[in-house]
Amino acid sequence: GRQVGAEHQRFWIGGVELGIWSWLGFVMPILLGSVLWEMKPIKYFLINAAYWLISFVTMAVILVVLS
């Protein structure tokens, strides 16, 4: 009943958190470098950052829920 739903919610939250931290540590430094040193437009940064954030969160949630 209720316990299973609460436990399942913790898995989702853990997956989202894992995805955000992974994105922050692996993707953001590379994307920020392309904006700062290669002078790419900020719009390029925002589109790519959003794409990779959604990708990392989705992958992490799938891995956490299926494990």
Side-chain angles (χ1 to χ4, degrees):
R2 189 155 171 82
Q3 283 297 94
V4 175
E7 186 174 321
H8 188 68
Q9 184 179 6
R10 280 190 290 154
F11 284 132
W12 276 89
I13 292 170
V16 170
E17 186 177 351
L18 175 64
I20 290 171
W21 284 112
S22 298
W23 170 78
L24 192 62
F26 293 111
V27 176
M28 285 301 290
I30 295 168
L31 291 179
L32 282 174
S34 71
V35 171
L36 294 174
W37 292 294
E38 297 176 19
M39 306 306 271
K40 301 273 184 175
I42 196 73
K43 187 175 181 181
Y44 170 86
F45 166 78
L46 294 174
I47 291 170
N48 282 319
Y51 169 78
W52 283 110
L53 177 61
I54 292 167
S55 298
F56 268 61
V57 169
T58 302
M59 289 186 285
V61 167
I62 290 170
L63 289 173
V64 168
V65 169
L66 292 179
S67 66

